[in-house]
């Protein structure tokens, strides 16, 4: 059908816009996004981009969804392929550090950055960011609980998960601000020591 080609082109354009949007937002924040800016940078019509999203808030929400899909593909999905318990916990930490260190998003961890931007601002965008970040924290926690249940570690799983998450976030923040890879090396050493001690 003739409409099928337009639909496919619309989907392709939407993916193109969102890929650019996640990169922009990782550096300039979700407030740094605008339909006009993305249209100009991608040499698309502003009305065409507006038709895909309808509003800045809808663009922000779609950008969060797209970023989470990318994050899951780089961090969560590969970790799920590793044996449960301590091996998976180690894989989560390493995949998270690699994702940040390789700059999958140019601004470092997308959710660390936009979380700081929207942490005290109520609304749909805040809720979407909190949900995405919370689901990753829950994944670390569930894996830590599993590691304790399997006898791989002897620790309070909630505290252990919080510490591991905090080390990854600290490495990301330090490396983005100061450059270099030293923060990631220190985080790897700290994570290894924490897990060995547990």
């Amino acid at each position: 059908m003739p409409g099928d080609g337009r639909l496919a082109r619309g989907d392709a354009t939407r993916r193109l816009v969102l890929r650019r949007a996640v990169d922009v937002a990782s550096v300039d924040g979700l407030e740094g996004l605008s339909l006009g800016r993305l249209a100009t940078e991608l040499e698309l019509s502003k009305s065409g981009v507006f038709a895909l999203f309808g509003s800045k808030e809808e663009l922000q929400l779609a950008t969060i969804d797209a970023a989470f899909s990318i994050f899951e593909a780089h961090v969560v999905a590969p970790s799920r392929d590793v044996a449960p318990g301590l091996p998976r916990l180690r894989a989560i930490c390493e995949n998270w550090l690699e994702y940040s260190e390789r700059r999958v998003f140019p601004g470092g961890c997308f959710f660390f950055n936009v979380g700081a931007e929207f942490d005290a601002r109520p609304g749909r965008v805040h809720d979407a960011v909190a949900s995405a970040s919370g689901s990753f924290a829950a994944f670390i926690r569930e894996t830590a609980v599993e590691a304790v249940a399997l006898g791989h570690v002897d620790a309070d799983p909630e505290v252990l998960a919080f510490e591991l998450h905090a080390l990854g976030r600290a490495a990301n923040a330090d490396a983005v601000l100061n450059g270099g890879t030293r923060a990631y090396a220190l985080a790897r050493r700290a994570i290894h020591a924490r897990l060995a001690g547990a």
Side-chain angles (χ1 to χ4, degrees):
M1 293 178 62
D4 290 346
R6 286 194 301 274
L7 187 61
R9 284 193 301 276
D11 286 345
T13 301
R14 182 180 171 87
R15 285 192 301 273
L16 176 70
V17 170
L18 288 174
R19 182 61 247 196
R20 180 66 187 138
V22 296
D23 286 346
V24 168
S26 78
V27 175
D28 296 338
L30 289 164
E31 285 297 323
L33 292 178
S34 76
L35 298 168
R37 174 183 180 174
L38 293 170
T40 300
E41 289 183 4
L42 296 170
E43 299 180 352
L44 300 169
S45 76
K46 186 174 179 181
S47 61
V49 174
F50 184 83
L52 291 171
F53 300 100
S55 70
K56 181 171 183 171
E57 184 178 68
E58 291 302 324
L59 171 64
Q60 290 172 330
L61 293 169
T63 300
I64 293 164
D65 285 344
F68 192 62
S69 294
I70 293 167
F71 178 83
E72 282 194 310
H74 285 271
V75 180
V76 177
S79 301
R80 289 196 191 280
D81 291 338
V82 176
L86 186 56
R88 184 173 296 160
L89 203 52
R90 285 190 176 119
I92 292 169
C93 295
E94 183 55 34
N95 292 339
W96 197 95
L97 291 172
E98 281 184 14
Y99 144 88
S100 175
E101 188 173 12
R102 287 185 325 156
R103 294 292 183 265
V104 170
F105 298 109
C109 179
F110 178 94
F111 291 99
F112 181 86
N113 296 342
V114 301
E117 180 186 11
F118 276 87
D119 58 3
R121 298 168 62 177
R124 294 173 66 207
V125 176
H126 166 277
D127 294 348
V129 172
S131 176
S133 296
S135 70
F136 179 58
F139 179 50
I140 300 172
R141 190 168 49 252
E142 289 159 11
T143 306
V145 167
E146 197 171 43
V148 170
L150 291 169
H152 294 174
V153 294
D154 180 16
D156 179 327
E158 285 200 77
V159 172
L160 178 61
F162 183 85
E163 290 172 341
L164 296 175
H165 198 192
L167 286 166
R169 291 163 62 89
N172 175 80
D174 187 82
V176 170
L177 181 63
N178 298 310
T181 61
R182 180 167 167 72
Y184 297 111
L186 289 171
R188 285 182 173 97
R189 283 165 53 192
I191 288 166
H192 176 78
R194 181 64 182 94
L195 291 176

